[in-house]
Amino acid sequence: KAGVTQTPRYLIKTRGQQVTLSCSPISGHRSVSWYQQTPGQGLQFLFEYFSETQRNKGNFPGRFSGRQFSNSRSEMNVSTLELGDSALYLCASSILAGDKETQYFGPGTRLLVL
Amino acid sequence: SQQGEEDPQALSIQEGENATMNCSYKTSINNLQWYRQNSGRGLVHLILIRSNEREKHSGRLRVTLDTSKKSSSLLITASRAADTASYFCATVRLNRDDKIIFGKGTRLHILP
């Protein structure tokens, strides 16, 4: 069974631009969660989607948004990029909504904002 | 604020030695998990211990949980070069919103 895939793996943007990251969960997994990892703040939860609905959200500004498609693939979008948005963005999938015991993480997308 | 805090922040040991990492947290939890991350890549789930368990083993890993002290430890025995990675504890809080909260991690370096 293929693992969680994230595209692109690396991205360079400039301040003010927007970016869209993609995550394909493991086949059969309907829950996708997104995390931001920075050296200063560590790993922080962004949001979780299940069956195309956002069911949980972390403490991030509205510039961070996401969506999930009927095939469970998910995208997250960051608008009006700031330097502080430079981070590794990880997504994780699980079978059940709210399942934080059996999450499978993708390799991440490393975003650099210049 | 971070729920889990790992200690030490960084650890270097000789191959073959045992490595111990600690995690402290602040609120009551449902379970505590340990993850490994190699060089800025995705996280790999290592082991989960529930709040009513005190110790758990998986291969060369041994995890303990002391809910009275709100702390956990991860012991890796007979370390190998491939164990070089960052290790994170993560807690799922009791009766709270399903969110999982990660600590900032311990960077473990195994010296040949």
Side-chain angles (χ1 to χ4, degrees):
Chain A
K1 204 182 245 190
V4 178
T5 58
Q6 292 186 245
T7 56
R9 293 294 313 281
Y10 303 93
L11 206 48
I12 299 176
K13 292 284 188 178
T14 56
R15 278 182 300 174
Q17 287 186 312
Q18 73 159 16
V19 67
T20 299
L21 312 181
S22 179
C23 172
S24 293
I26 291 172
S27 177
H29 287 198
R30 295 167 61 193
S31 171
V32 174
S33 296
W34 288 90
Y35 298 85
Q36 181 197 63
Q37 186 178 26
T38 60
Q41 298 299 316
L43 259 157
Q44 294 189 294
F45 171 76
L46 279 157
F47 27 65
E48 179 193 358
Y49 284 87
F50 182 82
S51 292
E52 302 177 64
T53 302
Q54 186 182 91
R55 68 176 302 275
N56 219 334
K57 190 177 190 304
N59 192 24
F60 277 82
R63 299 186 297 107
F64 292 80
S65 63
R67 60 177 175 167
Q68 187 179 34
F69 301 94
S70 58
N71 61 357
S72 296
R73 188 177 70 86
S74 177
E75 290 181 346
M76 67 162 281
N77 184 77
V78 187
S79 62
T80 319
L81 283 166
E82 301 177 359
L83 295 179
D85 297 332
S86 294
L88 180 68
Y89 290 88
L90 295 163
C91 80
S93 76
S94 56
I95 293 176
L96 301 174
D99 182 358
K100 295 299 180 287
E101 296 189 3
T102 48
Q103 288 190 105
Y104 296 85
F105 281 81
T109 293
R110 186 164 293 281
L111 172 65
L112 176 62
V113 182
L114 301 175
Chain B
S1 63
Q2 293 296 117
Q3 164 80 319
E5 294 286 342
E6 287 90 342
D7 168 53
Q9 290 186 343
L11 179 62
S12 292
I13 61 171
Q14 293 293 137
E15 193 168 12
E17 292 182 339
N18 295 341
T20 299
M21 288 158 272
N22 302 298
C23 169
S24 60
Y25 56 92
K26 296 175 183 173
T27 63
S28 296
I29 61 170
N30 191 349
N31 66 66
L32 185 145
Q33 303 170 43
W34 284 92
Y35 286 82
R36 184 186 74 228
Q37 185 180 37
N38 290 88
S39 190
R41 296 180 63 85
L43 275 72
V44 175
H45 185 268
L46 294 176
I47 196 165
L48 178 151
I49 187 165
R50 298 192 185 282
S51 59
N52 62 351
E53 297 176 310
R54 292 296 166 258
E55 187 172 311
K56 208 161 182 181
H57 297 255
S58 176
R60 294 185 296 113
L61 305 179
R62 173 178 169 254
V63 169
T64 61
L65 179 65
D66 187 334
T67 52
S68 65
K69 295 181 179 177
K70 291 187 168 59
S71 68
S72 173
S73 68
L74 170 68
L75 168 68
I76 303 174
T77 60
S79 63
R80 305 167 181 169
D83 295 329
T84 294
S86 291
Y87 292 82
F88 296 86
C89 69
T91 52
V92 177
R93 294 178 293 183
L94 191 64
N95 299 327
R96 292 289 299 272
D97 61 20
D98 297 338
K99 290 180 184 173
I100 184 170
I101 300 183
F102 288 85
K104 291 190 177 181
T106 292
R107 293 186 310 278
L108 175 64
H109 185 58
I110 308 299
L111 303 167

